Amino acid sequence: MSTSPAIQITGLTKSYGDLPVLRGVDLDVTAGSILALLGSNGAGKTTLVKILSTLLRADGGTATVQGFDVASQPAQVRESISLTGQFTAVDEVLTGRENLALIARLRHLPRPGAIADQLLARFSLTDAAGRRVATYSGGMRRRIDIAMSLIGNPPVVFLDEPTTGLDPQARNEVWDAVRELADTGTTVLLTTQHLEEAEQLADRIAILHEGRIIANGSLAELKRLLPPAKVEYVEKQPTLEEVFLSIVGDPARATATATATAGARQDRNPDDTAATVGADE
Amino acid sequence: MIKRTIGDTAALSGRSLQHVLRSPDTIITTAITPIAMLLLFVYVFGGAIDSGDENYVNYLLPGILLITVASGIAYTAFRLFTDVSGGIFERFQSMPIARPAVLWSHVLTSLVANFVSLVLVVAVALLMGFRTGAGLPAWLGVLAIMLLFTLAMTWLAVIPGLTAKSVDGVSGFSYPLIFLPFVSSAFVPTDNMPAPVQWFAENQPVTPIVNTVRSLFAQEPVGSDLWVALGWCVGLLLVAYALAMRTYRRRLA
Ligand SMILES: Nc1ncnc2c1ncn2[C@@H]1O[C@H](COP(=O)(O)OP(=O)(O)OP(=O)(O)O)[C@@H](O)[C@H]1O
Ligand SMILES: [Mg+2]
């Protein structure tokens, strides 16, 4: 693919009153790739996502999505994107199924009911389909929210901290959905606080700090920015996540993690520690 | 484009009407305040008020209908506020939905919900002795004026719905509207009011609207009140619509 980037941001600036939040953001996202945008609280990730999804106007600079300028061609941009905001945006009064069908109808798709049923199954929400979203747990709400964003297969998807507040199984479902998106050629820009999420999903990682992108590259490239690793002996213990998943029984990962956990338990003998080896010197 | 606007407005209005259907208490609550006023004025104060009309319910009903709308639009503002504060408004804004559809769906829902409340209030008034010989044209006239008034008040309600920071801010704006009829010809004739009050009462929108509806129900000529009432309704509608649309566009700053 030698096409132009799906998202192109040049010199983007935005202040809230006296508070400069974005001070010249430059960032390209290759079509069909997953970019993870990292940044501490208040770094401006949500602000950037809102500008890209035409909810906010930038003060300066340009941004294009699928070649359309977010400021001068917002209607075309909206045709090309979907947004999952940082906070769930669902209709509490409607049922889960009605929420999905409404979005399908608003995207002018045929058979909205069938689309809703398919997504409910994909996000393990079939049992709750007929209940009002007001009765959902926070994680169920988030899953409906993300499912709503996938309707209509837009070529560019923004996910603002999609897995915050999800249990590991639900998070894995979202991760699988994101990988599936990328496999079908969708461009994904996701923000996250979980570095593991970035490691798991992203083709490239960009770090937003003090209003600018201060690092941008693949995981391997970013790791090279650090001083060379030292050899260190670490006891190999199952992570709490592995324990949780094997006890709760995530159908997809249970076997893999269970073996890992069992294997790790045998390593409890202090003499028998596993070594993590990196390049020295 | 027009077809799309209509389709999107229909889909979103369907959603908004579901909200009303699933909390019918909002319609009841809307109707209860005016019904309580009707009972209070007819059975408690009625004997002491000389309206010049032997049937005080007949005299009272037009003003009570305006109060019904004024309390009904508080829910319009509330529903819009809930969308804005809950984030689904932003979701709609980021989608390829015809721009006017998001607001118009709330406006249409407001017209339907207020219509149902108005029917409830008229039904209670009939039980309490409201009588009219008005034929179909007069009833349609009343309906048209009430819809126009509701439309104007609804666009007014859109403004706090979009800008309010809290639920209290949303409902607060309708209180002055509910009390405006008290300084008008809605409950007592303006003749006996002190001069400055009378001047205000006769030159505020409620009086000509109330007089027009009253004349239509009584099968009397409406005279110039009709034109003044229409002028107020259309003027308020245009101003409220312009302000609401400006607020709507400003949200994208
Ligand atoms: N509407 C607003 N008015 C004023 N300041 C705002 C507004 N929205 C955001 N800010 C400020 O802009 C800065 C960036 O906010 P933003 O929400 O983009 O950060 P973020 O990177 O998404 O943070 P988090 O990780 O906490 O979600 C913060 O300092 C925030 O207080
Ligand atoms: Mg954020």
Side-chain angles (χ1 to χ4, degrees), chain A residues 64-85:
Chain A
T64 64
V65 176
Q66 297 289 95
F68 300 115
D69 188 282
V70 292
S72 61
Q73 299 167 292
Q76 286 91 331
V77 171
R78 284 180 214 121
E79 295 278 356
S80 318
I81 63 160
S82 95
L83 166 68
T84 303

Side-chain angles (χ1 to χ4, degrees), chain A residues 14-17 19-22 37-50 56 86-87 160-161 191-193 208:
Chain A
K14 173 77 187 174
S15 307
Y16 292 108
L19 177 76
V21 176
L22 304 179
L37 182 65
L38 306 182
S40 23
N41 288 141
K45 303 179 297 294
T46 298
T47 303
L48 182 60
V49 166
K50 282 192 177 180
L56 268 183
Q86 181 167 3
F87 304 102
D160 197 354
E161 300 195 19
T191 80
T192 182
Q193 301 286 353
L208 179 63

Side-chain angles (χ1 to χ4, degrees), chain A residues 134-154:
Chain A
T135 68
Y136 283 21
S137 74
M140 293 163 78
R141 221 172 276 218
R142 188 57 166 169
R143 278 182 278 159
I144 272 287
D145 188 43
I146 292 174
M148 283 160 82
S149 302
L150 301 186
I151 295 173
N153 303 316

Side-chain angles (χ1 to χ4, degrees), chain A residues 28-111:
Chain A
D28 286 356
V29 185
T30 316
S33 72
I34 303 180
L35 179 115
L37 182 65
L38 306 182
S40 23
N41 288 141
K45 303 179 297 294
T46 298
T47 303
L48 182 60
V49 166
K50 282 192 177 180
I51 292 172
L52 293 175
S53 45
T54 76
L55 295 176
L56 268 183
R57 258 196 262 286
D59 298 335
T62 57
T64 64
V65 176
Q66 297 289 95
F68 300 115
D69 188 282
V70 292
S72 61
Q73 299 167 292
Q76 286 91 331
V77 171
R78 284 180 214 121
E79 295 278 356
S80 318
I81 63 160
S82 95
L83 166 68
T84 303
Q86 181 167 3
F87 304 102
T88 48
V90 292
D91 188 320
E92 305 254 324
V93 177
L94 300 184
T95 67
R97 189 171 189 276
E98 287 169 336
N99 264 288
L100 294 166
L102 173 68
I103 300 297
R105 201 165 295 130
L106 289 171
R107 287 205 178 260
H108 314 107
L109 300 173
R111 316 209 318 121

Side-chain angles (χ1 to χ4, degrees), chain B residues 185-215:
Chain B
S185 65
F187 295 97
V188 290
T190 53
D191 310 341
N192 299 328
M193 296 176 182
V197 181
Q198 182 178 9
W199 182 88
F200 176 80
E202 285 174 357
N203 290 285
Q204 63 125 318
V206 171
T207 298
I209 300 173
V210 161
N211 290 349
T212 304
V213 173
R214 204 175 271 150
S215 305

Side-chain angles (χ1 to χ4, degrees), chain B residues 38-50:
Chain B
L38 203 55
L39 293 169
L40 188 70
F41 275 85
V42 170
Y43 297 123
V44 182
F45 304 143
I49 296 174
D50 178 16

